[in-house]
Amino acid sequence: MPQVFHPSANTLSRVVLFGLAAGPAALLGTMMLLVRSPFQTQVGVVREQPVQFSHEHHVKGLGIDCRFCHSSVETSASAGMPPTHTCMTCHSQIWSGSPMLEPVRASFKEQKPLAWTRVHDVPDFVYFHHGVHVQKGVGCAECHGRIDNMPLAWREKPLTMEWCLECHRNPEPRLRPKDEVFVMDWTPPEGSGLEAAREANPKSHVEVGQLTNCSICHR
Amino acid sequence: MAETHHHAGGGDPLPPVIAPGHTYASVTATIADVVLKRPPDWRWFLGMGAASSLLLIFGGAVANLLLTGVGIWGVNAPVMWGWAIINFVWWVGIGHAGTLISAILLLLKQQWRTSINRFAEAMTLFAVACAGMFPLLHMGRPWKFFWMMPYPSTMALLPQWRSPLVWDVFAVSTYATVSALFWYVGLIPDLATLRDRAKNKYLAMAYGALALGWRGSGRHWARYKTAYMLLAGMSTPLVVSVHTVVSLDFAAGVIPGWHATIFPPYFVAGAIFSGFAMVVTLCVPLRSWYGLKDFITDRHLDNMAKIMLATGMIVGYGYAMEFFIAWYSGNPFEEYLLLHARPFGTYKNAYRTMICCNVLIPQLLWAPSIRRNAVVLWVISIFVNIGMWLERYVIVITSLSEDFLPSSWAPYSPTIWDVATFAGTIGLFTFFIFLFVRSLPAIAIAEMRELVHETQHHGHGAQAHGEKA
């Protein structure tokens, strides 16, 4: 009786065995990486906007405080997008002929809000509250990165639940004195770091044990 | 062999575990020819056609379920578990006899397991495949099923380890994996036999690839035996724990009629009861259609009937204890459910039919003439299958439909989609069974050859079987 398999089947069977083990592992690994990559999290991805608004120019260049435009950030859940009127406070006089600002003037004239593309969009089953984070001493830069260095806005952090919980389980290293919240380039004073934050913590009533309850965000 | 002692007395009218006169060659030829030589006849095409039609219905039912939602089923607010969970438990239960036959009877050195273990294990696999459908499909959002798995998710969440439904995921997936491994390891020498007997080159390559280069050397066999015994040793606690976990889905709840500590052993007994009923349901036609009566003899039917009788009595004891404890506990909710709602309430017909099928009809099996009558035994096994389905129906539906608050009492009735999904899994099961009998040896050839060897050369065994020759 002839042999069923050619000797080359030895190699083939080893490759198949390896593939049976490595294939699913590689597939799972790729999926794990993919959901954490900018493809899924959009970290560092610049989105098309109706107006090429530059935070770099307005914050670093002109020194405008965050709250001038995002006025409700200290009190309400939403930090608020500034209405066209806020833009026109200056741009009715400054660069009033710039073609770049044409959509802003059109919006003002037609009484139609500018359709900004949201860069930080969490699903609607997540109830994120800006006010409480600002009140407890989470600086803007902790979550949004150095927005004063962004000519066009991008997402600095992945906004995954994993990322949120990392801080809710161990907030101290990310907290700062309340009056430093809106300072973009704040760094903890030399040597004080964690201790200062731990001391400040009881004063701001951050109860770490409760911060990971579902009802904190998923109301 | 333990088995040879009790019928060495001469007065035993039962045939031996293998009809006399068989040689290695005749055993091999008879079993392998079913796969390699016999063309499929009209019964196979009829069965496969029916199974495939049901499978199409299953596809339709699942498609509608995914597109429309679980609301197409008859489940309502108090009765949130309906046919899906009933069918799940029923199918898992059926699977357990396969493991009992292949693992526990192996550890107990029961020779009569040899000719039924292969298709009983196949039955286990296919039943678990059907069972596995329901936990997935009865989710409102089945596409999120992987959230039940512990993996490093971007949500930094793990499953809730205290839920028996999470244990179910592990129990059923481990059970399916170990059963598949056990079955495959057992198949390797037989696949090599098919490889060597196949005339078609491509068929030989297919069986050859699956046989993994088995040459049957002494070293092969020594390791094979060790692995097989180890797998049997692992499957035995598995079979008990899997159905225990399934029973904890109910027993861990607070619902009257569910919260009973007798559930784990009583469910396992019920699983073996229904599983053996399904083995009988399958093997009676199998042995007559494929001419395997020399291997699956009336002794096998007799032994399986005895196990059905024994486990049926345990199940009967379970019913009696539930009844007794309901009265003995003095708990008004339990008393209402067990002593009034089940026997006299809305679902009294289901309850009474269940008692008939599971407790009364199996009593016929005390009679040896009934145990050895294939047709009567087959009919009884069908009744047991129905009865055990009704047992899960009674446990799931009656307990939920009328529990603590009368304001949340509601009757349950299934919709056409419940029926279609269940019928569809029957189609899936039979589809696999028909595929299996055509493509793999339904009886373990290597083990049968071993049995021939033992009966011919094993001292007292040869004597005992020789007498009846």
Side-chain angles (χ1 to χ4, degrees), chain A residues 87-107:
Chain A
C87 309
M88 292 305 273
T89 317
C90 301
H91 289 296
S92 56
Q93 310 290 326
I94 305 165
W95 298 107
S96 55
S98 160
M100 202 188 224
L101 293 171
E102 179 49 38
V104 182
R105 290 190 295 271
S107 156

Side-chain angles (χ1 to χ4, degrees), chain A residues 5 32 36 160-162 165, chain B residues 151-155 157 205 209:
Chain A
F5 294 104
M32 296 280 170
R36 287 170 173 84
T160 56
M161 184 166 151
E162 186 180 45
L165 286 176
Chain B
Y151 71 100
S153 73
T154 58
M155 301 178 291
L157 283 181
M205 285 177 83

Side-chain angles (χ1 to χ4, degrees), chain B residues 150-200:
Chain B
Y151 71 100
S153 73
T154 58
M155 301 178 291
L157 283 181
L158 287 176
Q160 169 56 277
W161 298 112
R162 284 180 288 190
S163 165
L165 302 181
V166 170
W167 308 342
D168 267 348
V169 175
F170 287 87
V172 175
S173 56
T174 310
Y175 187 54
T177 313
V178 173
S179 302
L181 266 180
F182 196 23
W183 187 61
Y184 183 60
V185 167
L187 265 168
I188 288 173
D190 287 4
L191 289 165
T193 302
L194 291 183
R195 169 197 65 196
D196 297 343
R197 292 178 70 88
K199 295 274 180 284
N200 179 316

Side-chain angles (χ1 to χ4, degrees), chain A residues 13-31:
Chain A
S13 65
R14 286 191 191 105
V15 170
V16 168
L17 281 180
F18 174 78
L20 283 177
L27 191 71
L28 278 176
T30 312
M31 280 166 72

Side-chain angles (χ1 to χ4, degrees), chain B residues 401-415:
Chain B
S401 144
E402 295 179 2
D403 64 358
F404 296 111
L405 278 180
S407 60
S408 52
W409 285 7
Y412 168 87
S413 58
T415 65

Side-chain angles (χ1 to χ4, degrees), chain B residues 203-410:
Chain B
L203 209 54
M205 285 177 83
Y207 286 120
L210 289 171
L212 306 177
W214 176 268
R215 299 187 310 277
S217 73
R219 198 177 287 188
H220 278 179
W221 277 111
R223 288 183 181 159
Y224 170 88
K225 288 280 171 194
T226 313
Y228 204 57
M229 283 308 264
L230 275 174
L231 280 168
M234 287 199 295
S235 305
T236 303
L238 198 59
V239 72
V240 176
S241 63
V242 167
H243 218 66
T244 293
V245 166
V246 170
S247 83
L248 291 177
D249 293 350
F250 308 100
V254 295
I255 300 290
W258 281 12
H259 193 65
T261 50
I262 200 173
F263 268 32
Y266 147 62
F267 264 55
V268 173
I272 294 164
F273 185 45
S274 67
F276 266 90
M278 188 57 96
V279 175
V280 171
T281 311
L282 295 181
C283 90
V284 169
L286 181 81
R287 69 172 203 163
S288 89
W289 290 356
Y290 286 103
L292 300 172
K293 278 187 183 169
D294 280 0
F295 305 144
I296 305 172
T297 65
D298 286 350
R299 168 174 291 279
H300 292 95
L301 295 184
D302 188 71
N303 283 347
M304 286 194 277
K306 281 177 185 166
I307 291 194
M308 271 166 65
L309 179 61
T311 49
M313 298 288 282
I314 300 175
V315 168
Y317 174 80
Y319 298 153
M321 271 305 118
E322 275 190 314
F323 217 67
F324 169 72
I325 293 293
W327 166 78
Y328 191 63
S329 70
N331 177 327
F333 299 107
E334 213 177 327
E335 201 174 295
Y336 171 77
L337 181 76
L338 271 301
L339 305 184
H340 301 282
R342 276 185 192 171
F344 307 110
T346 320
Y347 310 99
K348 60 175 185 288
N349 290 332
Y351 183 77
R352 290 172 185 182
T353 316
M354 170 194 92
I355 296 287
C356 275
C357 291
N358 290 353
V359 183
L360 300 182
I361 293 177
Q363 298 308 314
L364 293 171
L365 298 174
W366 287 103
S369 56
I370 288 181
R371 289 204 299 269
R372 287 158 212 177
N373 185 325
V375 177
V376 177
L377 188 62
W378 191 77
V379 173
I380 292 176
S381 75
I382 297 284
F383 275 115
V384 171
N385 284 325
I386 296 170
M388 285 307 293
W389 190 90
L390 286 170
E391 181 197 294
R392 280 67 176 245
Y393 178 88
V394 164
I395 289 169
V396 173
I397 306 295
T398 63
S399 315
L400 287 175
S401 144
E402 295 179 2
D403 64 358
F404 296 111
L405 278 180
S407 60
S408 52
W409 285 7

Side-chain angles (χ1 to χ4, degrees), chain A residues 44 59 62:
Chain A
V59 181
L62 305 173

